Each structure stands twice: as C-alpha cells, then as structure tokens.
Short mmCIF file of all heavy atoms in Angstrom, two decimals:
data_model
loop_
_atom_site.label_atom_id
_atom_site.label_comp_id
_atom_site.label_asym_id
_atom_site.label_seq_id
_atom_site.Cartn_x
_atom_site.Cartn_y
_atom_site.Cartn_z
N MET A 1 0.84 -1.20 0.00
CA MET A 1 0.00 0.00 0.00
C MET A 1 0.88 1.25 0.00
O MET A 1 1.90 1.29 0.64
CB MET A 1 -0.89 0.01 1.25
CG MET A 1 -1.81 -1.19 1.36
SD MET A 1 -3.18 -1.13 0.22
CE MET A 1 -4.41 -0.31 1.26
N ALA A 2 0.42 2.26 -0.72
CA ALA A 2 1.16 3.52 -0.77
C ALA A 2 0.25 4.64 -0.30
O ALA A 2 -0.92 4.69 -0.66
CB ALA A 2 1.65 3.78 -2.18
N GLU A 3 0.79 5.53 0.51
CA GLU A 3 0.02 6.68 0.98
C GLU A 3 0.37 7.88 0.12
O GLU A 3 1.53 8.26 0.01
CB GLU A 3 0.33 6.95 2.45
CG GLU A 3 -0.78 7.72 3.13
CD GLU A 3 -0.49 7.89 4.62
OE1 GLU A 3 0.56 8.42 4.95
OE2 GLU A 3 -1.33 7.47 5.43
N MET A 4 -0.64 8.46 -0.51
CA MET A 4 -0.41 9.58 -1.39
C MET A 4 -1.42 10.68 -1.12
O MET A 4 -2.51 10.43 -0.65
CB MET A 4 -0.49 9.13 -2.85
CG MET A 4 0.58 8.09 -3.16
SD MET A 4 0.51 7.49 -4.82
CE MET A 4 1.10 8.90 -5.73
N PHE A 5 -1.01 11.92 -1.47
CA PHE A 5 -1.87 13.06 -1.18
C PHE A 5 -2.61 13.48 -2.45
O PHE A 5 -2.00 13.72 -3.48
CB PHE A 5 -1.02 14.22 -0.65
CG PHE A 5 -1.84 15.40 -0.22
CD1 PHE A 5 -2.45 15.40 1.03
CD2 PHE A 5 -2.02 16.48 -1.06
CE1 PHE A 5 -3.20 16.48 1.43
CE2 PHE A 5 -2.78 17.57 -0.66
CZ PHE A 5 -3.38 17.57 0.59
N CYS A 6 -3.93 13.59 -2.37
CA CYS A 6 -4.73 14.06 -3.50
C CYS A 6 -4.97 15.55 -3.34
O CYS A 6 -5.52 15.99 -2.32
CB CYS A 6 -6.06 13.31 -3.57
SG CYS A 6 -7.14 13.98 -4.85
N VAL A 7 -4.56 16.34 -4.34
CA VAL A 7 -4.70 17.79 -4.24
C VAL A 7 -6.16 18.22 -4.38
O VAL A 7 -6.55 19.29 -3.94
CB VAL A 7 -3.83 18.51 -5.30
CG1 VAL A 7 -2.37 18.34 -4.98
CG2 VAL A 7 -4.16 18.02 -6.69
N LYS A 8 -6.95 17.39 -5.01
CA LYS A 8 -8.35 17.76 -5.22
C LYS A 8 -9.19 17.46 -3.97
O LYS A 8 -10.01 18.28 -3.55
CB LYS A 8 -8.91 16.99 -6.42
CG LYS A 8 -10.09 17.67 -7.06
CD LYS A 8 -10.38 17.04 -8.41
CE LYS A 8 -11.62 17.69 -9.03
NZ LYS A 8 -11.93 17.11 -10.34
N CYS A 9 -9.00 16.30 -3.39
CA CYS A 9 -9.71 15.95 -2.15
C CYS A 9 -9.08 16.63 -0.94
O CYS A 9 -9.69 16.72 0.11
CB CYS A 9 -9.69 14.44 -1.94
SG CYS A 9 -10.44 13.49 -3.26
N LYS A 10 -7.82 17.06 -1.11
CA LYS A 10 -7.06 17.66 -0.02
C LYS A 10 -6.95 16.73 1.18
O LYS A 10 -7.08 17.14 2.33
CB LYS A 10 -7.66 19.01 0.39
CG LYS A 10 -7.47 20.05 -0.69
CD LYS A 10 -8.07 21.37 -0.29
CE LYS A 10 -7.81 22.40 -1.39
NZ LYS A 10 -8.71 23.52 -1.33
N GLU A 11 -6.74 15.47 0.87
CA GLU A 11 -6.49 14.52 1.96
C GLU A 11 -5.65 13.36 1.44
O GLU A 11 -5.54 13.15 0.24
CB GLU A 11 -7.80 14.02 2.55
CG GLU A 11 -8.72 13.35 1.56
CD GLU A 11 -10.07 13.01 2.20
OE1 GLU A 11 -10.63 13.88 2.89
OE2 GLU A 11 -10.53 11.89 2.00
N LYS A 12 -5.10 12.63 2.38
CA LYS A 12 -4.26 11.50 2.01
C LYS A 12 -5.11 10.31 1.60
O LYS A 12 -6.15 10.03 2.21
CB LYS A 12 -3.35 11.10 3.17
CG LYS A 12 -2.16 12.00 3.31
CD LYS A 12 -1.24 11.51 4.41
CE LYS A 12 -0.02 12.43 4.53
NZ LYS A 12 0.80 12.05 5.70
N LYS A 13 -4.65 9.61 0.57
CA LYS A 13 -5.33 8.42 0.11
C LYS A 13 -4.39 7.24 0.19
O LYS A 13 -3.19 7.37 -0.04
CB LYS A 13 -5.76 8.60 -1.36
CG LYS A 13 -6.61 9.81 -1.60
CD LYS A 13 -7.99 9.61 -1.06
CE LYS A 13 -8.83 10.86 -1.26
NZ LYS A 13 -10.18 10.69 -0.70
N THR A 14 -4.92 6.11 0.52
CA THR A 14 -4.12 4.90 0.51
C THR A 14 -4.45 4.11 -0.75
O THR A 14 -5.60 3.76 -0.99
CB THR A 14 -4.42 4.06 1.76
OG1 THR A 14 -4.22 4.89 2.91
CG2 THR A 14 -3.47 2.88 1.85
N VAL A 15 -3.43 3.87 -1.55
CA VAL A 15 -3.61 3.21 -2.83
C VAL A 15 -2.90 1.85 -2.79
O VAL A 15 -1.75 1.78 -2.38
CB VAL A 15 -3.04 4.07 -3.97
CG1 VAL A 15 -3.36 3.46 -5.33
CG2 VAL A 15 -3.58 5.49 -3.89
N PRO A 16 -3.55 0.78 -3.23
CA PRO A 16 -2.88 -0.51 -3.28
C PRO A 16 -1.69 -0.48 -4.23
O PRO A 16 -1.71 0.25 -5.22
CB PRO A 16 -3.97 -1.47 -3.81
CG PRO A 16 -5.26 -0.77 -3.57
CD PRO A 16 -4.95 0.71 -3.62
N ASP A 17 -0.68 -1.26 -3.92
CA ASP A 17 0.54 -1.26 -4.72
C ASP A 17 0.28 -1.58 -6.19
O ASP A 17 0.95 -1.06 -7.07
CB ASP A 17 1.53 -2.28 -4.15
CG ASP A 17 2.23 -1.73 -2.91
OD1 ASP A 17 2.30 -0.50 -2.77
OD2 ASP A 17 2.68 -2.54 -2.09
N ASP A 18 -0.71 -2.44 -6.46
CA ASP A 18 -0.93 -2.82 -7.86
C ASP A 18 -1.65 -1.73 -8.65
O ASP A 18 -1.93 -1.89 -9.82
CB ASP A 18 -1.68 -4.15 -7.93
CG ASP A 18 -3.06 -4.07 -7.28
OD1 ASP A 18 -3.40 -3.02 -6.72
OD2 ASP A 18 -3.79 -5.08 -7.34
N GLN A 19 -1.98 -0.62 -7.97
CA GLN A 19 -2.59 0.51 -8.70
C GLN A 19 -1.68 1.71 -8.77
O GLN A 19 -2.09 2.82 -9.09
CB GLN A 19 -3.91 0.90 -8.02
CG GLN A 19 -5.00 -0.14 -8.31
CD GLN A 19 -6.31 0.17 -7.58
OE1 GLN A 19 -6.67 1.33 -7.43
NE2 GLN A 19 -7.00 -0.86 -7.15
N THR A 20 -0.42 1.50 -8.44
CA THR A 20 0.55 2.57 -8.56
C THR A 20 1.56 2.23 -9.65
O THR A 20 1.77 1.07 -9.98
CB THR A 20 1.32 2.78 -7.24
OG1 THR A 20 2.04 1.59 -6.92
CG2 THR A 20 0.37 3.12 -6.11
N THR A 21 2.15 3.27 -10.22
CA THR A 21 3.17 3.10 -11.24
C THR A 21 4.43 3.82 -10.79
O THR A 21 4.37 4.99 -10.41
CB THR A 21 2.70 3.70 -12.58
OG1 THR A 21 1.40 3.23 -12.86
CG2 THR A 21 3.63 3.28 -13.70
N LEU A 22 5.54 3.11 -10.83
CA LEU A 22 6.80 3.71 -10.44
C LEU A 22 7.53 4.20 -11.68
O LEU A 22 7.76 3.44 -12.61
CB LEU A 22 7.66 2.70 -9.68
CG LEU A 22 8.88 3.26 -8.96
CD1 LEU A 22 8.46 4.25 -7.88
CD2 LEU A 22 9.68 2.14 -8.33
N GLU A 23 7.87 5.47 -11.69
CA GLU A 23 8.57 6.05 -12.83
C GLU A 23 9.85 6.71 -12.37
O GLU A 23 9.97 7.09 -11.22
CB GLU A 23 7.69 7.10 -13.52
CG GLU A 23 6.52 6.49 -14.24
CD GLU A 23 5.75 7.55 -15.02
OE1 GLU A 23 6.25 8.69 -15.11
OE2 GLU A 23 4.66 7.23 -15.51
N LYS A 24 10.75 6.89 -13.30
CA LYS A 24 11.98 7.59 -13.00
C LYS A 24 12.00 8.92 -13.73
O LYS A 24 11.72 8.98 -14.92
CB LYS A 24 13.19 6.74 -13.40
CG LYS A 24 13.93 6.23 -12.19
CD LYS A 24 15.29 5.70 -12.55
CE LYS A 24 16.05 5.50 -11.25
NZ LYS A 24 16.74 4.24 -11.16
N THR A 25 12.33 9.97 -13.02
CA THR A 25 12.41 11.28 -13.65
C THR A 25 13.73 11.41 -14.39
O THR A 25 14.61 10.56 -14.27
CB THR A 25 12.31 12.40 -12.61
OG1 THR A 25 13.47 12.34 -11.79
CG2 THR A 25 11.07 12.24 -11.75
N ALA A 26 13.86 12.49 -15.15
CA ALA A 26 15.09 12.74 -15.89
C ALA A 26 16.28 12.90 -14.95
O ALA A 26 17.41 12.66 -15.33
CB ALA A 26 14.94 13.99 -16.75
N LYS A 27 16.00 13.30 -13.74
CA LYS A 27 17.08 13.49 -12.76
C LYS A 27 17.38 12.23 -11.98
O LYS A 27 18.15 12.25 -11.02
CB LYS A 27 16.72 14.63 -11.80
CG LYS A 27 16.75 15.98 -12.48
CD LYS A 27 16.39 17.10 -11.52
CE LYS A 27 16.43 18.45 -12.25
NZ LYS A 27 16.02 19.55 -11.37
N GLY A 28 16.71 11.14 -12.33
CA GLY A 28 17.02 9.87 -11.71
C GLY A 28 16.29 9.61 -10.40
O GLY A 28 16.60 8.67 -9.69
N ARG A 29 15.29 10.44 -10.10
CA ARG A 29 14.52 10.20 -8.87
C ARG A 29 13.34 9.30 -9.18
O ARG A 29 12.78 9.34 -10.27
CB ARG A 29 13.99 11.54 -8.32
CG ARG A 29 15.08 12.43 -7.82
CD ARG A 29 14.51 13.68 -7.22
NE ARG A 29 13.91 13.42 -5.91
CZ ARG A 29 13.26 14.34 -5.21
NH1 ARG A 29 13.07 15.55 -5.71
NH2 ARG A 29 12.77 14.06 -4.04
N ASN A 30 12.97 8.51 -8.20
CA ASN A 30 11.81 7.65 -8.37
C ASN A 30 10.54 8.41 -8.07
O ASN A 30 10.45 9.14 -7.09
CB ASN A 30 11.92 6.44 -7.46
CG ASN A 30 12.95 5.45 -7.95
OD1 ASN A 30 13.13 5.28 -9.14
ND2 ASN A 30 13.63 4.81 -7.03
N MET A 31 9.55 8.24 -8.92
CA MET A 31 8.29 8.93 -8.73
C MET A 31 7.15 7.91 -8.83
O MET A 31 7.11 7.08 -9.72
CB MET A 31 8.14 10.00 -9.80
CG MET A 31 7.06 10.99 -9.53
SD MET A 31 7.12 12.31 -10.74
CE MET A 31 6.48 11.43 -12.15
N LEU A 32 6.25 8.01 -7.87
CA LEU A 32 5.12 7.10 -7.84
C LEU A 32 3.90 7.81 -8.40
O LEU A 32 3.59 8.94 -8.03
CB LEU A 32 4.87 6.69 -6.39
CG LEU A 32 4.27 5.32 -6.12
CD1 LEU A 32 5.11 4.21 -6.72
CD2 LEU A 32 4.15 5.13 -4.62
N ARG A 33 3.21 7.13 -9.29
CA ARG A 33 1.99 7.69 -9.87
C ARG A 33 0.80 6.82 -9.51
O ARG A 33 0.90 5.60 -9.50
CB ARG A 33 2.09 7.69 -11.40
CG ARG A 33 2.86 8.82 -11.99
CD ARG A 33 2.75 8.73 -13.50
NE ARG A 33 3.61 9.69 -14.15
CZ ARG A 33 3.23 10.95 -14.39
NH1 ARG A 33 2.04 11.36 -14.05
NH2 ARG A 33 4.05 11.76 -14.98
N ALA A 34 -0.34 7.46 -9.26
CA ALA A 34 -1.56 6.71 -8.99
C ALA A 34 -2.76 7.59 -9.30
O ALA A 34 -2.64 8.80 -9.46
CB ALA A 34 -1.59 6.25 -7.54
N ILE A 35 -3.90 6.95 -9.40
CA ILE A 35 -5.15 7.68 -9.62
C ILE A 35 -5.94 7.67 -8.31
O ILE A 35 -6.09 6.63 -7.67
CB ILE A 35 -5.98 6.98 -10.73
CG1 ILE A 35 -5.19 6.91 -12.03
CG2 ILE A 35 -7.32 7.70 -10.93
CD1 ILE A 35 -4.92 8.24 -12.67
N CYS A 36 -6.44 8.84 -7.92
CA CYS A 36 -7.23 8.92 -6.70
C CYS A 36 -8.48 8.06 -6.81
O CYS A 36 -9.24 8.20 -7.77
CB CYS A 36 -7.62 10.38 -6.44
SG CYS A 36 -8.73 10.56 -5.04
N PRO A 37 -8.70 7.16 -5.87
CA PRO A 37 -9.87 6.28 -5.94
C PRO A 37 -11.19 7.03 -5.75
O PRO A 37 -12.25 6.52 -6.10
CB PRO A 37 -9.64 5.27 -4.80
CG PRO A 37 -8.67 5.92 -3.89
CD PRO A 37 -7.85 6.88 -4.71
N THR A 38 -11.13 8.24 -5.21
CA THR A 38 -12.35 9.00 -4.95
C THR A 38 -12.74 9.88 -6.13
O THR A 38 -13.89 9.86 -6.58
CB THR A 38 -12.16 9.87 -3.70
OG1 THR A 38 -11.70 9.05 -2.63
CG2 THR A 38 -13.47 10.55 -3.32
N CYS A 39 -11.79 10.66 -6.67
CA CYS A 39 -12.14 11.64 -7.69
C CYS A 39 -11.46 11.39 -9.03
O CYS A 39 -11.77 12.06 -10.00
CB CYS A 39 -11.82 13.05 -7.18
SG CYS A 39 -10.06 13.37 -7.04
N GLY A 40 -10.53 10.46 -9.09
CA GLY A 40 -9.91 10.13 -10.36
C GLY A 40 -8.77 11.04 -10.77
O GLY A 40 -8.27 10.95 -11.88
N THR A 41 -8.36 11.93 -9.86
CA THR A 41 -7.25 12.82 -10.17
C THR A 41 -5.92 12.08 -10.10
O THR A 41 -5.75 11.21 -9.25
CB THR A 41 -7.25 14.00 -9.17
OG1 THR A 41 -8.43 14.77 -9.37
CG2 THR A 41 -6.04 14.89 -9.35
N LYS A 42 -5.02 12.44 -10.98
CA LYS A 42 -3.69 11.84 -10.95
C LYS A 42 -2.93 12.35 -9.75
O LYS A 42 -2.89 13.56 -9.50
CB LYS A 42 -2.92 12.19 -12.22
CG LYS A 42 -3.35 11.40 -13.42
CD LYS A 42 -2.51 11.81 -14.62
CE LYS A 42 -3.08 11.19 -15.88
NZ LYS A 42 -2.48 11.79 -17.08
N MET A 43 -2.31 11.43 -9.03
CA MET A 43 -1.49 11.81 -7.88
C MET A 43 -0.06 11.37 -8.15
O MET A 43 0.17 10.29 -8.70
CB MET A 43 -2.00 11.12 -6.61
CG MET A 43 -3.44 11.43 -6.28
SD MET A 43 -3.93 10.70 -4.71
CE MET A 43 -3.94 8.94 -5.13
N THR A 44 0.89 12.21 -7.76
CA THR A 44 2.29 11.84 -7.89
C THR A 44 2.99 12.06 -6.57
O THR A 44 2.59 12.90 -5.77
CB THR A 44 3.00 12.67 -8.97
OG1 THR A 44 2.87 14.05 -8.66
CG2 THR A 44 2.41 12.39 -10.34
N LYS A 45 4.02 11.27 -6.36
CA LYS A 45 4.78 11.40 -5.12
C LYS A 45 6.21 10.95 -5.36
O LYS A 45 6.44 9.93 -6.02
CB LYS A 45 4.12 10.51 -4.05
CG LYS A 45 4.80 10.52 -2.71
CD LYS A 45 4.03 9.64 -1.77
CE LYS A 45 4.94 8.67 -1.06
NZ LYS A 45 4.22 7.81 -0.11
N PHE A 46 7.14 11.72 -4.84
CA PHE A 46 8.54 11.31 -4.95
C PHE A 46 8.85 10.28 -3.88
O PHE A 46 8.43 10.40 -2.74
CB PHE A 46 9.46 12.52 -4.80
CG PHE A 46 9.48 13.39 -6.02
CD1 PHE A 46 8.91 14.64 -6.02
CD2 PHE A 46 10.06 12.93 -7.19
CE1 PHE A 46 8.92 15.44 -7.15
CE2 PHE A 46 10.09 13.73 -8.33
CZ PHE A 46 9.51 14.98 -8.31
N THR A 47 9.58 9.27 -4.27
CA THR A 47 10.01 8.26 -3.32
C THR A 47 11.54 8.21 -3.29
O THR A 47 12.20 8.77 -4.16
CB THR A 47 9.48 6.88 -3.70
OG1 THR A 47 9.93 6.56 -5.00
CG2 THR A 47 7.96 6.86 -3.67
N LYS A 48 12.08 7.55 -2.32
CA LYS A 48 13.53 7.48 -2.18
C LYS A 48 14.11 6.48 -3.19
O LYS A 48 13.50 5.48 -3.46
CB LYS A 48 13.91 7.08 -0.77
CG LYS A 48 13.70 8.23 0.18
CD LYS A 48 14.07 7.82 1.59
CE LYS A 48 13.73 8.96 2.55
NZ LYS A 48 13.96 8.56 3.94
ZN1 ZN B 1 -9.10 12.82 -4.93
#
C-alpha cells in the first residue's frame, strides 16, 4: 500500500501497490503515480 496526497480531495489516500506506477524522472529520482480512488485525479509522489 502507498500513501499519497490528493490535491483535489485535499487529503491522504491509501492506494494498493498494484494501482501505482513507479517512474523515474530525468534526474534519476523515483516517482510514484496513482489515480485517486475517490475523484480520479492523478497523484504523484517522490520516493527514495
Ligand atoms: Zn481525490
């Protein structure tokens, strides 16, 4: 499970791991992407 912040709901959402996508930015940082289960907004979060 990943905890991510939805800017539209203005609250934290818990997203199952199988609904998140891990991407790498051009600077080599890992970024987690997910869709808010409540409103469908894209959420992103930097990870270590
Ligand atoms: Zn939301």
Side-chain angles (χ1 to χ4, degrees):
M1 300 286 268
E3 203 176 57
M4 298 179 72
F5 185 81
C6 174
V7 291
K8 203 167 178 180
C9 301
K10 292 179 178 160
E11 58 186 46
K12 281 184 180 174
K13 304 287 178 181
T14 306
V15 186
D17 283 336
D18 62 356
Q19 286 177 35
T20 62
T21 311
L22 192 63
E23 290 185 9
K24 250 194 168 134
T25 67
K27 290 180 180 177
R29 293 183 74 185
N30 287 325
M31 195 173 73
L32 209 57
R33 279 185 187 274
I35 302 293
C36 174
T38 308
C39 69
T41 295
K42 283 181 189 168
M43 302 185 290
T44 57
K45 179 179 130 179
F46 285 110
T47 58
K48 286 180 185 175

